[in-house]
Amino acid sequence: MQVFKFGGASVKNANSVRNLVTVLEKTGHNNTIIITSAMGKMTNALEDVVAKYFNKNNDLMDSLGKVEQFHKLILIDLFVNKSHSIFKEVDLLFDDLNIFLKTNKSPDYNFIYDQIIGFGELLSTTIISAFLNKKGFKNEWLDVRPLVKTDNYYRCANVDWEATQKAINNAVNKEVLYITQGFLGSDANNFTTTLGREGSDYTAAIFGYCLNAKTVTIWKDVPGVLNADPRYFNDTQLLENISYTEAIELAFYGASVIHPKTLRPLQKLSLIHI
Ligand code: ADP
Ligand code: ASP
Ligand code: MG
């Protein structure tokens, strides 16, 4: 089993989704589980929806409209056939989100945040799964929430490793291509939880650990782990290999290329690629 993770920057528009297909063509995709984040900056855009909903701001519908418009433009670009079922599926996700906004009675900001923010990953994986199917990459879409079981510490939930390992192994049992969401989980009452911002890297590690995967590959918009952040330095160098200890240190001191919780579960695995 191999685990691939594509972050928001790697699925930020229609062309980057096409690039994901090219990556699968080049690397092979048997026995693979793909984990993706919300597209581009959609988690930030959904945070804006959460804030406006919570503060009863009149611009709530504008914020929600921006999220909808962003995904619809990508859909139109990827699917020429406007009667493709994906258009309906995406509409249904926005219906679900609207129903939550209308019916929610909870005053708990963190709970509300997780119920709303998770739509970013549900939308991205639904779109990417349909596009892969259209391109002949037959795949199964998995809802990650019943698989990654957590406590109810909303916005930074802690993984229940035993329940998670059992659920993942029950669900991922065929030699097929799976696609699922990073960042999300669910609590004992099956409400959506999230693992902390940038937590999709961690989801890749959770799957890698629970499935005893051969490799976990975290695809990024950089050639790999560099000796400095290329946003701030011009003359960065690619580190071909780094030890787990060095990688943990790098993440701990804030190198955003990898989420700090990601390395620990992977230490028992043979390989991680970024
Ligand atoms: P994703 O959306 O795929 O999770 P991120 O934006 O979180 O991607 O992480 C990739 C970014 O991390 C790169 O674009 C780069 O600017 C930044 N980064 C910070 N430190 C490093 C480093 N040491 N090596 C490579 N990239 C780094
Ligand atoms: N979409 C989430 C975020 O932006 C998780 C992730 O991308 O890793 O924080
Ligand atoms: Mg990230």
Side-chain angles (χ1 to χ4, degrees):
M1 193 94 217
Q2 61 176 353
V3 179
F4 281 179
K5 181 257 171 173
F6 293 88
S10 306
V11 292
K12 64 173 191 254
N13 54 32
N15 276 342
S16 52
V17 175
R18 291 188 185 98
N19 185 53
L20 184 153
V21 175
T22 309
V23 168
L24 293 185
E25 266 162 2
K26 288 196 175 139
T27 56
H29 48 86
N30 279 338
N31 234 354
T32 301
I33 178 147
I34 301 177
I35 288 156
T36 74
S37 304
M39 295 172 139
K41 298 284 177 206
M42 280 301 106
T43 304
N44 293 355
L46 283 160
E47 280 188 342
D48 192 48
V49 172
V50 175
K52 298 221 160 102
Y53 172 74
F54 198 74
N55 297 322
K56 301 190 173 42
N57 186 306
N58 290 337
D59 294 338
L60 169 64
M61 282 305 145
D62 280 355
S63 285
L64 195 54
K66 282 184 190 145
V67 175
E68 193 161 353
Q69 177 75 353
F70 176 90
H71 289 97
K72 293 274 165 76
L73 287 175
I74 292 181
L75 272 187
I76 290 167
D77 196 329
L78 292 176
F79 297 87
V80 182
N81 175 5
K82 299 299 167 287
S83 55
H84 191 290
S85 59
I86 186 64
F87 289 91
K88 183 98 191 121
E89 282 178 60
V90 166
D91 281 344
L92 287 175
L93 284 168
F94 281 104
D95 287 351
D96 287 349
L97 177 49
N98 275 299
I99 289 169
F100 174 79
L101 297 176
K102 287 202 180 88
T103 57
N104 169 57
K105 299 271 183 293
S106 171
D108 177 348
Y109 183 86
N110 291 345
F111 168 81
I112 293 170
Y113 179 101
D114 279 2
Q115 308 322 299
I116 295 177
I117 221 84
F119 279 92
E121 272 69 15
L122 294 173
L123 284 158
S124 70
T125 51
T126 302
I127 294 170
I128 295 165
S129 169
F131 186 66
L132 285 173
N133 274 326
K134 178 176 110 102
K135 287 284 175 190
F137 292 78
K138 214 170 134 17
N139 67 91
E140 278 187 30
W141 181 90
L142 285 175
D143 186 341
V144 84
R145 293 170 295 178
L147 309 187
V148 175
K149 294 305 296 182
T150 70
D151 59 13
N152 62 358
Y153 197 64
Y154 298 111
R155 296 186 68 185
C156 198
N158 301 293
V159 174
D160 174 342
W161 285 97
E162 209 180 312
T164 299
Q165 184 147 32
K166 208 164 142 197
I168 288 181
N169 279 284
N170 281 340
V172 178
N173 53 20
K174 284 173 264 160
E175 295 202 350
V176 298
L177 176 63
Y178 291 99
I179 175 149
T180 196
Q181 308 79 45
F183 183 48
L184 311 183
S186 71
D187 65 13
N189 292 318
N190 298 326
F191 286 113
T192 304
T193 55
T194 62
L195 305 174
R197 284 300 310 264
E198 301 292 328
S200 293
D201 291 347
Y202 185 37
T203 306
I206 294 170
F207 273 84
Y209 174 84
C210 290
L211 293 166
N212 200 17
K214 205 164 137 238
T215 55
V216 173
T217 306
I218 301 184
W219 296 92
K220 295 270 169 179
D221 58 349
V222 280
V225 179
L226 306 164
N227 64 345
D229 188 336
R231 281 175 300 189
Y232 306 108
F233 295 90
N234 294 324
D235 52 350
T236 52
Q237 281 165 16
L238 179 65
L239 306 174
E240 294 290 346
N241 289 294
I242 58 168
S243 68
Y244 277 105
T245 319
E246 284 169 313
I248 288 168
E249 258 178 42
L250 222 114
F252 181 78
Y253 287 110
S256 57
V257 70
I258 186 135
H259 186 276
K261 280 187 182 170
T262 307
L263 276 310
R264 281 264 178 252
L266 292 177
Q267 272 180 301
K268 82 161 208 179
L269 300 175
S270 51
L271 278 171
I272 170 172
H273 299 299
I274 299 184

